[in-house]
């Protein structure tokens, strides 16, 4: 079918000179470079802060040396109920979307082996931990009746809206060993195996001025479907400065990802419309964590973790696409840092927990040429483009029945960022074409539309555990 083209022209911006796929950039950082931090309800209630405390299988999420702190066996399972809400605003209009997913969030276990020797080594412990989180994230942005475009066939349409739609899961399975030397020094190591499943859509909608009908456009090479596996290793140590104060440090190697992607392509000179496939290799940042814990008594403990991504994401270069991605991260990526603070207070068998974490913005300020709601354009700089810093507050309760225990926790996560879409260039070359396609038309745009997005997450967890 002959397709009719429309190109919304404007001043090209330095940002995304090659019109890089926003979804790929966002997922590289938000999915592949992050670490699943869904642990037990206790772990989540303390905002994931346990790097110098340890004592259970969730130590494999922060510092494997924490396995050596355990003096008895333990196994637990955690149900996760994750609520995700996005509110996107443009031209004084807001589009809301909420979704709740329920899943198995965590399974963990530790087996403690006392050492009956005359040396200082007291325990050798083995741990396994499985952490799973939903990647579902739907960001729908409103349009503008004043954003009118004229097609080559004489038809006119206004921008009705846009949606980034992502489905999937990210999981981390870790195996580790920890050792206890004289109840003062703990060392540990872990192997981490990752898997990710992502279905990603990038769709724009235009409404006919004549009859009000909607026409949907998919960005070139979308939707795409990724099935990925990764591997990393971790090492850690915890030492007691005195009976009440501990210090910890750990390092996790880069995660080495193999990403298999299938995608839809449009208007190929030889093949027309169809599906293609490719494999990419991604190395994500090396992470280092330092921790400190204060254990006032058996009834109160406080832990602080600081994690820094030491390197930046890097793709193995097979074509100009990977080179463009690497150049973007080289020029615009900031090493991500995260601070986590968590505390627990015990009242006989009751447990009270709370925590807070802050994750920094992964990108420098970026300048784009953007469309305004009235179809005029201007250059503007954003300090929160695509992703931004994230704040998490948590609270938890638990009850210990000696051999069995039940824990529950709640997390509230917030982030605000600027959401770019619509920029795409029709080049005639499938390797570089980034335009949007419907069944009848091609939509190209030199500029972005940028909306303000507020993301809120309400997460609930409940854990059932057994000590032996």
């Amino acid at each position: 079918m002959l397709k009719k083209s429309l190109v919304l022209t404007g001043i090209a911006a330095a940002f995304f000179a090659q019109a890089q796929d926003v979804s790929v950039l966002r997922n590289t950082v938000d999915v592949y470079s992050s670490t699943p931090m869904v642990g037990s309800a206790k772990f989540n209630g303390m905002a994931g802060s346990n790097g110098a405390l340890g004592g259970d299988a969730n130590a494999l999420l922060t510092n494997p040396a924490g396995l050596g702190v355990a003096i008895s066996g333990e196994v637990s399972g955690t149900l996760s109920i994750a609520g995700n809400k996005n509110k996107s605003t443009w031209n004084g209009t807001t589009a809301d979307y909420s979704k709740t997913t329920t899943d198995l969030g965590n399974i963990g276990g530790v087996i403690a082996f006392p050492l009956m020797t005359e040396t200082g080594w007291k325990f050798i412990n083995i741990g396994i931990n499985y952490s799973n989180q939903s990647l579902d994230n739907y960001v729908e942005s409103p349009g503008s009746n004043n954003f009118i475009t004229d097609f080559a066939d004489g038809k006119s349409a206004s921008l009705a809206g846009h949606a980034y739609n992502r489905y999937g899961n990210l999981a981390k399975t870790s195996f580790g060993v920890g050792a206890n030397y004289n109840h003062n020094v703990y060392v540990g190591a872990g192997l981490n195996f990752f898997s990710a499943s992502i279905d990603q859509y990038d769709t724009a909608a235009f409404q006919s001025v004549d009859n009000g009908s909607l026409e949907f456009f998919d960005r070139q090479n979308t939707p795409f479907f990724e099935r990925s596996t990764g591997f990393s290793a971790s090492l850690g140590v915890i030492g007691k400065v005195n009976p009440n104060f501990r210090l910890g440090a750990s390092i996790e190697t880069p995660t080495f990802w193999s990403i298999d992607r299938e995608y839809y392509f449009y208007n190929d000179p030889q093949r027309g419309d169809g599906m293609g496939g490719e494999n990419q290799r991604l190395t994500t940042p090396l992470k280092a964590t330092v921790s400190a814990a204060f254990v006032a008594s058996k009834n109160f403990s406080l832990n602080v973790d600081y994690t820094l991504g030491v390197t930046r994401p890097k793709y193995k270069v097979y074509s100009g696409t990977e080179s463009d991605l690497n150049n973007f991260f080289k020029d615009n990526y900031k090493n991500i840092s995260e601070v986590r603070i968590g505390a627990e207070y015990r009242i006989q068998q009751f447990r009270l927990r709370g925590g807070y974490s802050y994750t920094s913005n992964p990108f420098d300020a970026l300048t784009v040429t953007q469309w305004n709601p009235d179809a005029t354009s201007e250059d503007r700089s954003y300090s929160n483009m695509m992703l931004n810093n994230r704040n998490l507050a948590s609270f938890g309760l638990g009850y210990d029945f000696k051999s069995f225990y039940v824990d529950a926790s709640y997390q509230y996560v917030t982030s605000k960022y600027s959401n770019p879409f619509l920029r795409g260039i029709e080049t005639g070359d499938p390797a570089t074409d980034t335009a949007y396609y419907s069944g009848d038309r091609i939509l190209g745009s030199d500029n972005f539309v940028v909306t303000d997005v507020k993301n809120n997450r309400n997460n609930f967890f409940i854990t059932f555990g057994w000590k032996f």
Side-chain angles (χ1 to χ4, degrees), residues 79-343:
L79 180 70
S80 169
I81 303 172
N84 188 37
K85 179 178 181 180
N86 287 305
K87 180 182 291 186
S88 181
T89 302
W90 190 58
N91 190 34
T93 304
T94 296
D96 291 337
Y97 184 83
S98 300
K99 183 177 182 179
T100 300
T101 57
T102 302
D103 209 339
L104 179 64
N106 186 267
I107 299 176
V110 174
I111 300 177
F113 296 94
L115 299 179
M116 304 302 180
T117 67
E118 296 181 357
T119 68
W121 295 101
K122 304 299 183 182
F123 285 89
I124 293 288
N125 301 333
I126 296 174
I128 181 172
N129 191 79
Y130 170 79
S131 181
N132 174 62
Q133 67 186 52
S134 171
L135 298 175
D136 291 6
N137 193 37
Y138 181 82
V139 183
E140 180 179 339
S141 297
S144 170
N145 291 331
N146 296 321
F147 192 97
I148 304 294
T149 60
D150 298 318
F151 289 97
D153 59 0
K155 302 294 184 179
S156 297
S158 62
L159 177 62
H162 177 273
Y164 285 117
N165 194 1
R166 185 179 72 191
Y167 300 99
N169 285 81
L170 174 65
K172 177 182 180 181
T173 303
S174 301
F175 303 89
V177 59
N180 175 335
Y181 183 80
N182 206 31
H183 299 295
N184 284 312
V185 177
Y186 310 89
V187 294
L191 298 177
N192 311 299
F193 300 91
F194 298 82
S195 63
S197 171
I198 299 176
D199 297 349
Q200 181 73 59
Y201 298 77
D202 182 342
T203 307
F206 280 78
Q207 185 172 35
S208 170
V209 172
D210 293 335
N211 57 29
S213 62
L214 289 175
E215 186 172 7
F216 295 92
F217 294 79
D218 291 310
R219 191 179 190 273
Q220 179 69 278
N221 299 331
T222 71
F224 62 77
F225 314 97
E226 294 180 348
R227 303 297 180 263
S228 311
T229 57
F231 168 82
S232 73
S234 53
L235 295 170
V237 62
I238 297 172
K240 288 185 177 179
V241 178
N242 58 50
N244 303 112
F245 190 65
R246 305 177 188 179
L247 295 176
S250 64
I251 190 167
E252 182 176 350
T253 69
T255 302
F256 302 96
W257 285 97
S258 175
I259 303 172
D260 291 317
R261 178 188 296 164
E262 293 184 341
Y263 56 89
Y264 283 91
F265 60 80
Y266 310 98
N267 213 39
D268 184 281
Q270 284 76 42
R271 298 176 292 171
D273 297 349
M275 287 195 72
E278 62 185 4
N279 174 268
Q280 289 182 314
R281 300 299 177 101
L282 169 65
T283 301
T284 61
L286 178 149
K287 301 179 182 71
T289 300
V290 292
S291 308
F294 177 67
V295 183
S297 64
K298 291 184 178 181
N299 295 326
F300 178 76
S301 60
L302 173 69
N303 188 91
V304 179
D305 295 336
Y306 174 75
T307 298
L308 177 66
V310 180
T311 57
R312 61 176 178 266
K314 186 175 182 180
Y315 283 89
K316 183 176 180 179
V317 175
Y318 296 104
S319 67
T321 298
E322 290 84 13
S323 294
D324 291 339
L325 287 166
N326 290 339
N327 288 335
F328 175 83
F329 288 117
K330 180 180 179 181
D331 295 337
N332 303 292
Y333 182 79
K334 295 190 296 187
N335 293 337
I336 298 177
S337 61
E338 182 177 7
V339 177
R340 301 182 297 275
I341 304 171

Side-chain angles (χ1 to χ4, degrees), residues 3-65:
K3 296 183 178 178
K4 305 175 183 65
S5 299
L6 167 70
V7 177
L8 304 173
T9 59
I11 302 172
F15 171 40
F16 287 167
Q18 303 299 323
Q20 281 294 350
D21 190 332
V22 171
S23 296
V24 172
L25 293 172
R26 183 180 286 147
N27 292 343
T28 299
V29 177
D30 190 37
V31 176
Y32 294 113
S33 298
S34 68
T35 299
M37 291 294 283
V38 176
S40 67
K42 173 184 176 181
F43 179 89
N44 300 329
M46 297 174 65
S49 179
N50 77 343
L53 289 175
D56 59 30
N58 286 167
L60 288 166
L61 294 173
T62 53
N63 185 347

